[in-house]
Amino acid sequence: MLRPYIAVLASHFQLMLQYRAAAIAGFATQCWWGALKIMVLAAFYAGAAGPQPMSLGDAVTYIWLGQALLVLLPWGGDPEVAAMVRDGSVSYERLRPVDTYLFWYCRSVSSMVARVLPRAALMVLTAGVILPLAGLARWGLPPPPSLSAAALFILSVSATVLLGAALRMLINIQVVASLTDRGVNTLAAPVVTILSGSIIPLAFFPDWLVPILRLQPMAGLADTPFRIYFADLAGADALAAVGLQLVWTAAVILLGRAWLTGALGKLQVQGG
């Protein structure tokens, strides 16, 4: 019963790995933006009069991790789903002898993992190895402070992939329901980047707002794993944060399954 889903995971993963030029171009762009963001942060810290919610070193680490894992953010739907909606072939998805939600979800997971691996590897090589060797260790990506932090970070990033794919499914379903991807993709990008902490670390928001932001699901896309990496979250607190990621993943999946069932039930395809 799992064979179709394993097949789509493997085939889509291999397909996405073929886009090497896109991975290299994305890596170069993310390096450039990472350097710009670090310079802005350095200027901010140099001019700050009081203590900040995280050290400059942790903020630099946060930026590099954000650039390395940028493609895990679900700031747009699956372009294949959007294409199927435009040409009406989405109706064929109802004829497949598989669970449509799980089939699309597996495709999203494989796409995100295949896109992030080469970019993250190049980013770690550049920021974690080349910059320190060039005497710029202060502006590079240091390793996690302990083996436990590294293990918890890997666990949290795995949960980020599952949560990101679930949130991306909500975008896909809205595309099916509205028969267009323009509106939802336009809105998703700024909402996800701000609420995840990708643009501005959540710690820099007003003190009264930070606890609320860290409880909402999109904090698990960036803020949670990054804080675990440099041990701002450790031990039981880190495990609780990963647990919150998984709880939100389950909730979003349940919502998405119910919504997709209703959207496909109302789907109308005209022409012939």
Side-chain angles (χ1 to χ4, degrees), residues 56-272:
L56 177 58
D58 287 346
V60 170
T61 299
Y62 195 107
I63 294 300
W64 284 128
L65 289 174
Q67 297 306 112
L69 304 177
L70 187 67
V71 294
L72 294 183
L73 296 182
W75 50 22
D78 186 338
E80 293 185 25
V81 172
M84 288 190 292
V85 168
R86 284 193 295 269
D87 64 21
S89 60
V90 67
S91 59
Y92 298 137
E93 296 295 295
R94 301 190 64 188
L95 303 178
R96 292 182 188 269
V98 295
D99 182 295
T100 302
Y101 183 93
L102 184 56
F103 193 79
W104 288 3
Y105 182 82
C106 289
R107 190 163 58 194
S108 290
V109 168
S110 64
S111 175
M112 295 172 81
V113 173
R115 292 175 64 210
V116 78
L117 285 179
R119 302 184 191 207
L122 290 170
M123 190 66 69
V124 170
L125 176 64
T126 301
V129 178
I130 295 177
L131 286 183
L133 288 177
L136 299 172
R138 183 187 180 191
W139 308 110
L141 174 65
S146 66
L147 288 177
S148 62
L152 286 167
F153 172 72
I154 293 172
L155 182 63
S156 182
V157 169
S158 300
T160 296
V161 173
L162 300 177
L163 177 58
L167 289 168
R168 193 183 192 196
M169 280 297 298
L170 294 184
I171 300 174
N172 291 338
I173 298 165
Q174 175 58 29
V175 172
V176 174
S178 63
L179 302 181
T180 179
D181 61 334
R182 293 182 180 178
V184 65
N185 283 343
T186 301
L187 290 173
V191 171
V192 169
T193 51
I194 291 173
L195 293 184
S196 66
S198 177
I199 293 292
I200 302 173
L202 297 186
F204 288 96
F205 282 79
D207 291 341
W208 64 269
L209 188 57
V210 172
I212 299 172
L213 289 175
R214 285 177 171 164
L215 286 177
Q216 49 88 27
M218 280 173 277
L221 299 174
D223 189 75
T224 297
F226 299 171
R227 291 169 62 217
I228 289 175
Y229 184 94
F230 51 77
D232 184 56
L233 283 172
D237 291 337
L239 288 174
V242 173
L244 182 61
Q245 287 178 286
L246 296 175
V247 168
W248 274 119
T249 300
V252 174
I253 287 175
L254 290 174
L255 171 63
R257 291 186 70 91
W259 188 10
L260 182 60
T261 299
L264 290 178
K266 298 176 181 177
L267 188 65
Q268 296 183 7
V269 178
Q270 299 178 358

